[in-house]
Amino acid sequence: MPAYTLKLRRYDPESGQSAYWQEFNVELAPERSVLDGILQARNDQDGSIGIRCSCQAAICGSCGVRINGKSRLACNTKIGEAAERAEKMGRDAIVVEPMGNMPVIKDLIVDMDAVHWKKVQRVVPWLLPEGDPPEREYIVPAESMIDITQSMACIHCGVCVSACLSMEVDPEFVGPAALAKAYRFVGDPRDAHEEERLRDLAEDEHGIYDCTHCFACVEVCPKDVAPMNQIMRLRRRATGDYGIKDDNNGYGHEKAFVDLIERYGTLHESQLLPRSYGQGSLVRSQLDPHSVKQLITAFPTVVNGLKSGKVAPKAALWHNKLPDQSQVRRIYNEVHSHGERIELNMYIVGESGGEEEGAMAEGSQEA
Amino acid sequence: MSIKVAYWPGCVSRGFTPELHGSMAAVAPKLDIELIQLDRANCCGAGVIAEHNQELVDSLNARTFALAQGVEGAVGMMNICSTCQGAQSECQERLDADTAYRQHINEHLEPEGLAYEKNSAWWNKNFLWLLVEDIGIDALRERVVRPLTGLRVAPFYGCYIVRPQSRLGYDERPERDLYLEQVIEAIGATPVDYAGKHKCCGFPLITMNRTTSLRQAGRHIADAIDADADCMVTPCPLCHLNLDLQQPDAAKYVERDLGLPVLHFPQLVGLALGIEPKELGMNKHVVKTGDVQRKIAELAAA
């Protein structure tokens, strides 16, 4: 039977001792899980190892940890593969730590109440329908639920919260799990408070516009919820469907970027910042006190850019259009004028499985 | 043997980081890469157009792919920006996944006679991937004329080139998130291990939450400094903007002195291939690269 070394991060607040590393040697087949390895160490060597687990089949979401630095379910990670990865990183042990962004209760157990559940509560995670309830259940057409099935797959394991790189520097960020949950209700046709929900999360300086678009949550989610994609769907609805002009420049940045590419084909960088601060408008960026204040904050950076010779004044002010810019404009016009939101939902189609015709039309057209 | 590629330099390498585009042009002939630049291609959308409208971003990138596929004799398409890589790979994944969707997107390209064709042999790769996979670490090692022995380099990948792995070809190439270290070793330098190498530079947040954005950048630079790095290297010009252009401001947000030179990936390779620092645009950084240049000169003299 192959042998593996697990290096566990231990911490017991009641002992008064600071956290420390401890190694355990275990023997099990490579296709068994890291959780199996931890449980073997606990059962045979040290009964005080703290780990939370239940189903051991990636259903309950209890055993989130970090393995070789990556947030994972321990039951869903093969020990042989974890050992190979550790070796490639130049380490002789599989490193297992508690999840990040949450306080540790003991060893590998973190306080989900203090962070994850609090943030989920923040987004009002229940249906808010309007009018009298129907006599029996609410009935909705199946196709209207397709868009939110992905966010419904969440098992609240907190692995995405652990991996979130925005939350790492801004603990107040509402975060991937809670925002994916928010989309589950924003996208639900039975909910009557879509606009209020969106406005609330767009105006919050730690809301949808505090996501740094790093794909960390997409990468680690054991259920393929792709929380960041749900955050982008929230943004799409906030700006595109409701035109919510938030104070975080979320609306302004999207409008500025999209408009500049329509005009020039490539990015006119020196206009991006002022336009973003001015809700997409250059004029507004110079008249609105809030925008001007932000421009002043960014001013030293501009000076540094000019001083270093990186940015030539002429290049900063003048930006050439693409030779075939009329093609880009025509594409913009075609897409914006047909009045439909056509999306390919990869969660439904799969990575390469949707080759039969019609998957797009059936699966993912949003009204 | 030379490699001919359809070359997409991106927007930022011709805007606020012109030294990146210039250094790639200087490095390519040394590695026998023939660059056929896609002058008519458009911005990849950088995740922002995807956030606005998926059909639009997929059409714009399908247009770029179609232009690249039309370059005769090119084995594939090459970019020099992690963000372009990620944004374009996302569109390619959707275009490849569904015939009806691809046909619909191609209708937007039809008036100019363009079409993106699904072809498992066709690829779009960042220069980092091309260098390791198609030129090879051994071939690179043979061409090094100025080994950077003793130079301690902190790798910084950029999110879009490391996540999500399933979309970015890691199933076939599981070591893509170790390539920077492999190249750093091959040119004689020492890779520095620190917490931030696969994390986010904060750039996408710079207009929306400056504090979070610059705390991210500042923290990674500080970690690299604490791990005794002489410089940092990145294959992403957007990361470079936050890590270099914004570094003086980032220092305020993490409340400590910084001052770590940040090189573009082709600049680092170019130094080892014997190209002069000035030709690589190393005088065009906000955090001065003088210490790195001095260290390399001392190494050469020793």
Side-chain angles (χ1 to χ4, degrees), chain A residues 227-247:
Chain A
M228 190 194 94
N229 296 4
Q230 313 314 326
I231 299 173
M232 294 307 130
R233 284 184 162 131
L234 289 168
R235 289 184 182 183
R236 198 136 65 225
R237 291 199 179 222
T239 55
D241 295 358
Y242 293 99
I244 297 168
K245 293 179 176 159
D246 58 288
D247 277 343

Side-chain angles (χ1 to χ4, degrees), chain B residues 230-256:
Chain B
D230 295 312
C231 65
M232 195 178 254
V233 67
T234 180
C236 181
L238 304 185
C239 294
H240 196 271
L241 289 179
N242 239 33
L243 296 168
D244 176 59
L245 179 65
Q246 300 278 10
Q247 196 179 129
D249 212 17
K252 292 177 207 154
Y253 284 91
V254 292
E255 295 171 353
R256 60 171 278 181

Side-chain angles (χ1 to χ4, degrees), chain A residues 37-201:
Chain A
I38 296 168
L39 293 179
Q40 191 186 100
R42 189 183 71 180
N43 295 341
D44 300 349
Q45 300 170 54
D46 183 347
S48 75
I49 296 172
I51 171 89
R52 188 158 42 202
C53 66
S54 178
C55 78
Q56 304 187 34
I59 296 165
C60 75
S62 301
C63 65
V65 290
R66 279 182 294 176
I67 300 169
N68 296 322
K70 202 163 167 179
S71 301
R72 317 266 322 217
L73 289 180
C75 70
N76 203 20
T77 306
K78 293 192 174 94
I79 197 162
E81 287 172 12
E84 272 174 39
R85 178 69 194 175
E87 199 184 325
K88 274 195 188 127
M89 294 165 82
R91 295 175 181 161
D92 44 18
I94 300 165
V95 175
V96 187
E97 300 162 84
M99 287 200 285
N101 292 331
M102 288 179 268
V104 178
I105 294 175
K106 181 178 187 293
D107 295 337
L108 303 173
I109 302 167
V110 298
D111 189 348
M112 297 276 286
D113 288 334
V115 179
H116 172 69
W117 291 112
K118 202 174 259 179
K119 289 176 187 294
V120 171
Q121 281 166 19
R122 154 78 184 81
V123 303
V124 192
W126 56 83
L127 207 60
L128 296 169
E130 213 153 65
D132 295 330
E135 249 173 64
R136 299 184 54 168
E137 64 271 54
Y138 286 95
I139 295 171
V140 292
E143 56 275 17
S144 68
M145 299 299 279
I146 285 174
D147 194 43
I148 55 171
T149 43
Q150 193 170 15
S151 55
M152 288 162 77
C154 175
I155 55 171
H156 290 286
C157 61
V159 165
C160 62
V161 175
S162 164
C164 179
L165 295 176
S166 266
M167 213 185 282
E168 190 177 86
V169 293
D170 177 11
E172 288 182 73
F173 177 38
V174 177
L179 289 174
K181 183 54 70 186
Y183 189 71
R184 187 250 167 278
F185 294 101
V186 163
D188 192 314
R190 295 166 294 182
D191 195 273
H193 295 264
E194 184 176 340
E195 186 175 355
E196 290 95 319
R197 288 178 186 273
L198 288 168
R199 199 171 284 284
D200 172 36
L201 293 170

Side-chain angles (χ1 to χ4, degrees), chain A residues 200-327:
Chain A
D200 172 36
L201 293 170
E203 297 287 1
D204 187 331
E205 55 182 309
H206 310 286
I208 52 176
Y209 295 117
D210 203 13
C211 163
T212 192
H213 208 281
C214 71
F215 297 96
C217 57
V218 177
E219 176 68 16
V220 300
C221 175
K223 292 293 164 186
D224 203 11
V225 170
M228 190 194 94
N229 296 4
Q230 313 314 326
I231 299 173
M232 294 307 130
R233 284 184 162 131
L234 289 168
R235 289 184 182 183
R236 198 136 65 225
R237 291 199 179 222
T239 55
D241 295 358
Y242 293 99
I244 297 168
K245 293 179 176 159
D246 58 288
D247 277 343
N248 301 307
N249 305 322
Y251 174 90
H253 182 65
E254 182 191 313
K255 179 150 181 51
F257 197 104
V258 172
D259 287 357
L260 284 171
I261 305 307
E262 182 174 16
R263 185 176 298 195
Y264 296 102
T266 54
L267 188 60
H268 188 346
E269 294 157 295
S270 47
Q271 285 201 6
L272 183 62
L273 212 62
R275 279 180 188 268
S276 297
Y277 293 156
Q279 308 286 19
S281 150
L282 262 188
V283 178
R284 197 192 148 114
S285 73
Q286 282 149 47
L287 297 177
D288 177 72
H290 182 63
S291 313
V292 173
K293 203 175 140 200
Q294 295 186 86
L295 269 180
I296 292 169
T297 314
F299 192 67
T301 306
V302 178
V303 173
N304 284 334
L306 289 166
K307 265 194 346 207
S308 65
K310 240 176 149 38
V311 184
K314 194 180 154 214
L317 296 172
W318 184 256
H319 191 79
N320 283 327
K321 278 183 193 166
L322 272 191
D324 294 332
Q325 184 54 19
S326 59
Q327 294 180 20

